[in-house]
Amino acid sequence: MSAPAFAEADEDLRWMQAALNLGERSLGLAAPNPSVGALVVKDGAVAGRGVTAPGGRPHAEPIALAQAGEAARGATLYVTLEPCAHVGASPPCVDAVIAAGVARVVAAIEDPNPLVAGQGLARLRAAGIAVTAGPCADQARRDHCGHIRRVTEGRPCVTLKLAETADGFASGGLHDQRLKITGPIANARVQTMRATHEAIMVGVETALADDPALTVRLPGLDRKPLRVVLDTRLRLPLRSRIAAAARDLPTLVVAGEGASAEAEARLAGCGVAVERVSLDAEGHVDLGAALRALSARGVTRVFSEGGPSVAARLIALGLADAVVIFTAEKPLGRPGLPALSEAARATLADAARYRRAETARYAPDTMRVWERRT
């Protein structure tokens, strides 16, 4: 590769990273569409920038092009996902790109949506626009995991989060008080992770034991993700914090097909929506069916804090796309409930199924992240 080509590749990486950083601002807000970042760059400077708007429209590209105006002519457009080429609720983004007179388009990845699937880039090339695909592709696939899972598997992506003591426990004995495992810095990190997902999911055992609020608690940030409880037999108490706040915060309980109609009516009276799905072989809500039901509601990103049982099932079924474990500095020092089963830990250690993606300290706690291999 010649020196100018190296320089262009390096420049592409720099601008694409900036576009990805921009796109991350709408994670948790852009569903059912992907949170795309777009930059119009001319003469080494940003002429326009755009990120998918809340609710998914307008798309990032027309926002960036409108901001750039005439400066878009002859410019380079950096976009984190291939521009769409099909007519949906809005015109194809490739039409706007061509009409703006952009000279070059750099896309991080092609869109796996069968309605696009390379057609957007092909139309740009046919219009005489230079096209480059691939810079920062790994990061783009990570950021667009929810969209990718939804259009290829019919489900949202799942981030599984767990907290454990230094000796591997999620809680104490049956009658122990709820443990405060991690410190305020790690807890704030969890809140930011919640904010980048459209749904927070727990199992009913966690709802009964911990009575969580499942809200985003960050000053100045107004995010209200869908609160989801996996509750086969509709045992969620009406006085729980989840049910009590359901008129103000979107709440969904996923139940089995045979759950009590009377219990459903009582929850509905509190503002709780109930979705019924099939059961798995063990008599639990089928997790695949539950995730497909969420996808049908437009959810692309789920943050699961459902406890050890749900965690083990998600990992075993290959439904946990990222596993985030916060480990405290102090041990429990007595028998308790393991945060993960031995089988689940063995799966995480299997290099063919998961890879260690990140380790970070949130003093005094350690965060480790595994990503599922596809």
Side-chain angles (χ1 to χ4, degrees), residues 46 63 93 102 104 107 121 126 131 144 172 177 212 216 220-221 236 258 280 299 332 356-357 368:
V46 174
I63 294 174
C93 287
V102 169
R104 180 170 179 252
L121 299 183
V131 172
H144 294 311
Q177 291 184 342
V216 175
L221 189 64
L236 183 69
D280 62 18
V299 174
L332 178 63
R356 179 80 72 84
R368 291 168 294 160

Side-chain angles (χ1 to χ4, degrees), residues 59 83-94 111 113-116 119-120 123:
H59 292 185
C84 62
H86 63 290
V87 177
S90 54
C93 287
V94 292
D111 189 341
N113 186 342
L115 296 174
V116 186
Q119 297 178 58
R123 281 194 54 190

Side-chain angles (χ1 to χ4, degrees), residues 173-347:
L174 182 62
H175 301 293
D176 281 2
Q177 291 184 342
R178 178 182 178 183
L179 293 179
K180 293 183 178 180
I181 296 176
T182 50
I185 300 175
N187 293 344
R189 180 70 181 96
V190 171
Q191 294 298 320
T192 63
M193 296 174 77
R194 284 183 176 185
T196 63
H197 294 74
E198 299 108 45
I200 304 173
M201 183 175 75
V202 299
V204 69
E205 297 297 341
T206 295
L208 293 172
D210 296 345
D211 193 22
L214 302 185
T215 54
V216 175
R217 297 182 293 277
L218 289 172
L221 189 64
D222 184 20
R223 298 284 176 97
K224 295 181 179 179
L226 176 67
R227 304 176 309 157
V228 180
V229 181
L230 304 172
D231 186 3
T232 304
R233 297 187 298 278
L234 290 178
R235 293 187 290 148
L236 183 69
L238 300 183
R239 293 185 178 181
S240 65
R241 291 207 288 172
I242 293 173
R247 294 197 183 280
D248 299 317
L249 300 169
T251 306
L252 174 69
V253 170
V254 182
E257 293 168 336
S260 163
E262 291 79 8
E264 178 178 349
R266 287 192 293 269
L267 286 169
C270 293
V272 176
V274 175
E275 177 95 33
R276 293 175 181 269
V277 300
S278 59
L279 303 182
D280 62 18
E282 297 178 348
H284 302 299
V285 162
D286 184 285
L287 288 176
L291 292 175
R292 289 190 295 273
L294 290 175
S295 180
R297 290 172 175 263
V299 174
T300 67
R301 295 170 59 84
V302 172
F303 193 64
S304 177
E305 298 185 79
S309 177
V310 171
R313 290 163 61 204
L314 286 169
I315 291 172
L317 293 169
L319 296 174
D321 299 292
V323 179
V324 182
I325 300 179
F326 287 89
T327 304
E329 186 177 46
K330 296 181 179 179
L332 178 63
R334 61 181 188 275
L337 177 66
L340 269 183
S341 66
E342 290 184 8
R345 290 190 189 275
T347 300

Side-chain angles (χ1 to χ4, degrees), residues 157-181:
C157 75
V158 177
T159 301
L160 169 62
K161 171 260 171 183
L162 292 165
E164 63 177 6
T165 60
D167 45 0
F169 295 109
S171 64
L174 182 62
H175 301 293
D176 281 2
Q177 291 184 342
R178 178 182 178 183
L179 293 179
K180 293 183 178 180
I181 296 176

Side-chain angles (χ1 to χ4, degrees), residues 3-49:
F6 269 120
E8 182 178 79
D10 185 63
E11 191 82 346
D12 286 348
L13 288 172
R14 185 168 70 91
W15 286 117
M16 187 59 72
Q17 188 60 62
L20 286 163
N21 292 342
L22 181 63
E24 288 174 356
R25 296 182 184 181
S26 274
L27 286 176
L29 293 175
N33 289 337
S35 181
V36 174
L39 293 175
V40 178
V41 177
K42 191 171 188 178
D43 299 328
V46 174
R49 68 190 74 212

